[in-house]
């Protein structure tokens, strides 16, 4: 199933997701993407629009998934700090990731005053551990 979003909109694709999804503005993010970069790309797309308005921002990144990686339960994986090494050997070191989580989500405050509609997250199992407090 597919649907259309009102344009101008921005699509941010993870470095390792080849979804083929495109918007009027689309960035295929590099492997070293940080939260600061994501906010900068949103601001850049916003300032490129004629009417200074983005209707939607779709963030196509990996979520924690149903079987989260240890230490990465409540976050979005934006990029890699370091890749895994030694796969299949006794010296295996798992990858470490650059994330969007509650410790750095305040970066989005730099969008204050920008006319941005809905920010969508296309990420597996993103809200699976959160329970409503109301």
């Amino acid at each position: 199933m597919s649907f259309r979003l009102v344009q101008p909109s921005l699509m941010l694709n993870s470095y390792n997701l080849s979804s083929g999804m495109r918007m009027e503005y689309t960035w295929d993010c590099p492997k070293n993407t940080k939260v600061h970069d994501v906010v900068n790309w949103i601001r850049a797309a916003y300032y490129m629009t004629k009417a200074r308005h983005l209707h939607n921002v779709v963030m196509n990144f990996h979520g924690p998934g149903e079987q989260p990686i240890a230490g990465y339960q409540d976050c979005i994986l934006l990029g890699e700090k370091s890749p895994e090494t030694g796969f299949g050997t006794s010296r295996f070191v798992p990858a470490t990731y650059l994330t969007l989580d509650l410790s750095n989500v305040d970066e989005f405050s730099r969008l204050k005053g920008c006319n941005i509609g809905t920010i969508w997250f296309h990420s597996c199992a993103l809200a699976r551990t959160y329970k409503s407090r109301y």
Side-chain angles (χ1 to χ4, degrees):
M1 178 179 171
S2 65
F3 57 93
R4 268 182 212 271
L5 295 176
V6 175
Q7 300 299 313
S9 291
L10 170 65
M11 167 68 78
L12 294 172
N13 287 310
S14 173
Y15 70 96
N16 60 356
L17 288 176
S18 57
S19 67
M21 294 190 283
R22 296 280 182 238
M23 301 275 175
E24 186 167 331
Y25 300 98
T26 300
W27 270 271
D28 292 327
C29 302
K31 197 173 203 173
N32 62 346
T33 298
K34 298 173 189 70
V35 176
H36 186 80
D37 301 323
V38 168
V39 174
N40 283 345
W41 290 320
I42 294 170
R43 288 175 56 90
Y46 168 78
Y47 285 111
M48 287 191 298
T49 64
K50 290 178 184 171
R52 297 287 189 262
H53 179 87
L54 276 175
H55 292 279
N56 301 281
V57 174
V58 179
M59 296 178 56
N60 186 31
F61 292 99
H62 288 289
E66 293 299 326
Q67 303 285 321
I69 301 165
Y72 298 98
Q73 287 85 3
D74 299 322
C75 63
I76 295 171
L77 305 177
L78 299 176
E80 288 185 15
K81 280 187 199 173
S82 63
E84 70 179 36
T85 59
F87 184 76
T89 71
S90 61
R91 296 181 182 177
F92 176 73
V93 177
T96 57
Y97 296 96
L98 300 163
T99 63
L100 167 59
D101 55 40
L102 294 177
S103 73
N104 58 15
V105 73
D106 62 326
E107 276 284 331
F108 281 80
S109 66
R110 294 190 303 123
L111 298 174
K112 187 174 183 177
C114 295
N115 188 1
I116 296 173
T118 304
I119 297 178
W120 302 87
F121 291 93
H122 186 253
S123 305
C124 293
L126 184 58
R128 70 174 174 63
T129 61
Y130 291 100
K131 305 239 188 283
S132 173
R133 294 179 251 235
Y134 305 101

